[in-house]
Amino acid sequence: MPTSATEVTAAGIARLAGVGRAAVSNWRRRHADFPKPVGGTETSPSFALPEVEDWLRRQGKLAEVPLRERVWQQLTGHPEGPATALLHIGCELLLVHERPTDWLDLNALSDRRLAELLPDAYDKVLTDRFGAGRHRAIQVPSTEALHASVPLLRATAHLAAELGTRQTFEFLLGRHLDANSRQYTPTPAGPAELIARLAGPVRSVLDPACGTGALLRAVADRPDLELHGQDSAPELAALTALRLALAGHARIRTRAGDTLRADAFPQLRADAVVCHPPFNERNWGHDELAYDPRWEYGFPARTESELAWVQHALARLADGGTAVLLMPPAAASRRSGRRIRADLLRRGALRAVIALPAGAAPPHNIPLHLWVLRRPGPATRPAAELLLMETASLVPEGQPELPWPALQSAVTEAWEAYERTGTAEEQPGLARAIPVIDLLDDDVDLAPARHLPPSAAGGGIEQLTSVREKLTDTLRLTAELTPPAAEPAPDARWPLTTIGELARAGALTLRTGNAAVALGGTVPVLTDHDVFTAAAPSGTLPEDHEAPELTEEGDVVVPVLGAGSVTRVIDAATAGAALGRNLSLLRPDPAALDPWFLAGFLRGTANNRQASSYASTATRLDVRRLQLPRLPLEQQRAYGERFRALAAFEDTLRQATRLGEQLVQGTYDGLTDGTIAPG
């Protein structure tokens, strides 16, 4: 086997065949002809992809590897690593995008000749797009480096013919970021778009910690747009440049290097700066940069790296330019930063502090803040008030996905009104423009929650009354739907079958969810959290997502991660939603299987226990191993009706719990803030 052959792990084999990793382990034990490992380690071996594909076809477990999956497996198995492979792919896609006839001529050559001529072709297209010189973030790969990439590049070109160049790069980059989530800290689309909207329509933008380019990509494209980015990781600076070049027509300049210690754009005065800086860095250059001219508002303490980034952003703005930074909440209240915060307020540089809900961006466990800053000009009059917003109240209780359209609308409306008038209408629990003089105390604490008036308890007395009435009606319905007393049944020893056997027999179709969640899509996505909580589809599909698996009425959906036996029968209201990740879909043949019978028996605790594999951090369900009794269709329907009634009772109990919690908390809030009398 050649050393450059693409390798695939057990997880990759499971993805190809649409099964769990436990099934791959079983195949290795049960089938002597299963391909032998060619690399990896004893605990995590890797296999030659061509051998795996051939074995899966012979076993009838794979008709053909999808082109997307083939390209992805070739990328992850690249001898130089997936990051290098992505750079080679990005250069090729840019060549296809900018000079399609040149690529067609090159693609007709032999592999050896293609690798020899690609460097010159890449250099021409990269120079046209990013300029010449050693400061360019993307260096042309050598002929030797490209030899191992030629099969991958040819396959990628075929994929680009199907999806388009931009969509192909976004798909592969997104997969790479998902697979290496601990290595990268990407900014999600929701906060990225909000930051771009707050920055406003501009001609030149800088992101001094650009990462994978999410913030720059969110800036509205225009013919004269100039995008500047810098990142300490050379591969990220290069990937960002390629990503932006494939997405629009802007003039792009990205550089690699430590921004605070080695600023790549010292002469730049941009219209806007957008930034998601690294948090809590102690080694940011405190000792070397004590006399740096950027510290116009005070020398940041060693523990205040974020305030160093704030002042760097202000230093790179033109007079009147806007900076929007994603900040940790501690930066608004730490005592070590109070003098810099005070000077930012006195001189009118800090204009708004906006608290986002927890989960908006990494780290997801804390509610991050957005700081909106404006570089004062010679004739600028300092703002008399600071806009403070707390957006957690805009997130409906129990909703796992943040409602970014509502959040964006509320924040931008308040900001635009503040920009026009210098103040903002007070909205209890949401927004307030507070006089700067009131904040210049010993603490200079800018945390919005400390200064906003509380919202009305539970939405107010009228809302609490409505909740109480709904709870009363729901409790009455719960009593009506309570299952009848259990009666003993004769010892049932049914012949059993498995989901895998039923799938092979054609009694049902098994599908695996692949839909990611993003902001602004039109197709709803059913997530595993939606299934666990019996909620409506809470996500939306990215515009450039690969073809999703759509649900149909009567499908049975099963989460494959996490302990607990849960299923969901798709009704008319949920049909048409894309199937999210970590979900399996079973589509029964109505002439052979009743969907409620299927869903009910799959929820058995013992059934789930024997079909699950247990690791130190997660439990994974192998859906194919779940068992069902072999029963006539009429008998299935009898069980199905009982399971349907149990599901209706469960839904009503869940609704009663939500209403009860809302009533209790709202009453506590009303009693403690004085809006509800105790007697």
Side-chain angles (χ1 to χ4, degrees), residues 32 34 92 96 129 180 223 355 367 393 408 463 501 578 589 613 622:
F34 192 88
E92 176 214 20
V96 173
R129 205 67 172 85
N180 299 274
S393 60
Q408 283 190 2
Q463 179 66 21
E501 291 170 348
D589 180 351
S613 58
D622 184 352

Side-chain angles (χ1 to χ4, degrees), residues 376-498:
T380 301
R381 185 176 179 180
E385 296 181 336
L386 177 73
L387 176 64
L388 297 175
M389 292 194 70
E390 172 59 73
T391 61
S393 60
L394 298 174
V395 181
E397 186 177 356
Q399 180 170 320
E401 302 295 335
L402 298 180
W404 279 109
L407 287 169
Q408 283 190 2
S409 177
V411 171
T412 53
E413 285 179 11
W415 168 250
E416 289 168 0
Y418 170 80
E419 279 280 84
R420 289 192 303 270
T421 64
T423 187
E425 181 182 352
E426 185 173 296
Q427 302 177 61
L430 178 62
R432 178 188 180 190
I434 187 169
V436 167
I437 193 65
D438 292 348
L439 296 167
L440 295 175
D441 54 17
D442 288 342
D443 295 323
V444 197
D445 191 333
L446 308 182
R450 301 185 193 277
H451 302 284
L452 294 178
S455 57
I461 299 295
E462 293 182 359
Q463 179 66 21
L464 280 180
T465 302
S466 174
V467 170
R468 187 178 186 281
E469 292 173 353
K470 291 178 182 178
L471 177 60
T472 301
D473 293 340
T474 304
L475 290 173
R476 186 180 300 113
L477 180 59
T478 303
E480 296 173 0
L481 293 175
T482 301
E487 298 180 1
D491 186 27
R493 296 188 179 277
W494 304 297
L496 298 176
T497 186
T498 66

Side-chain angles (χ1 to χ4, degrees), residues 309-333:
W309 286 97
V310 165
Q311 294 190 76
H312 173 81
L314 286 168
R316 294 296 157 262
L317 283 174
D319 289 346
T322 302
V324 188
L325 284 83
L326 199 58
M327 301 281 282
S333 55

Side-chain angles (χ1 to χ4, degrees), residues 382-633:
E385 296 181 336
L386 177 73
L387 176 64
L388 297 175
M389 292 194 70
E390 172 59 73
T391 61
S393 60
L394 298 174
V395 181
E397 186 177 356
Q399 180 170 320
E401 302 295 335
L402 298 180
W404 279 109
L407 287 169
Q408 283 190 2
S409 177
V411 171
T412 53
E413 285 179 11
W415 168 250
E416 289 168 0
Y418 170 80
E419 279 280 84
R420 289 192 303 270
T421 64
T423 187
E425 181 182 352
E426 185 173 296
Q427 302 177 61
L430 178 62
R432 178 188 180 190
I434 187 169
V436 167
I437 193 65
D438 292 348
L439 296 167
L440 295 175
D441 54 17
D442 288 342
D443 295 323
V444 197
D445 191 333
L446 308 182
R450 301 185 193 277
H451 302 284
L452 294 178
S455 57
I461 299 295
E462 293 182 359
Q463 179 66 21
L464 280 180
T465 302
S466 174
V467 170
R468 187 178 186 281
E469 292 173 353
K470 291 178 182 178
L471 177 60
T472 301
D473 293 340
T474 304
L475 290 173
R476 186 180 300 113
L477 180 59
T478 303
E480 296 173 0
L481 293 175
T482 301
E487 298 180 1
D491 186 27
R493 296 188 179 277
W494 304 297
L496 298 176
T497 186
T498 66
I499 294 298
E501 291 170 348
L502 290 171
R504 286 192 291 273
L508 58 80
T509 303
L510 179 61
R511 295 285 185 267
T512 301
N514 65 349
V517 174
L519 174 70
T522 56
V523 178
V525 176
L526 183 70
T527 69
D528 54 348
H529 189 278
D530 300 333
V531 176
F532 278 112
T533 60
S538 61
T540 55
L541 198 67
E543 176 188 350
D544 53 1
H545 196 281
E546 55 185 300
E549 183 67 40
L550 301 182
T551 59
E552 296 180 4
E553 190 171 358
D555 289 346
V556 176
V557 176
V558 185
V560 298
L561 288 182
S565 53
V566 178
T567 59
R568 177 164 177 175
V569 179
I570 300 299
D571 56 15
T574 309
L579 190 67
R581 294 171 178 172
N582 302 320
L583 290 175
S584 287
L585 179 146
L586 309 176
R587 182 165 295 155
D589 180 351
L593 285 172
D594 179 80
W596 284 101
F597 162 80
L598 175 63
F601 270 97
L602 297 190
R603 287 193 59 170
T605 301
N607 199 5
N608 274 259
R609 186 180 297 120
Q610 64 84 28
S612 296
S613 58
Y614 302 91
S616 58
T617 58
T619 301
R620 186 174 187 90
L621 181 68
D622 184 352
V623 176
R624 291 177 177 271
R625 292 174 55 188
L626 288 168
Q627 297 178 334
L628 281 178
R630 295 180 182 271
L631 295 179
L633 192 56

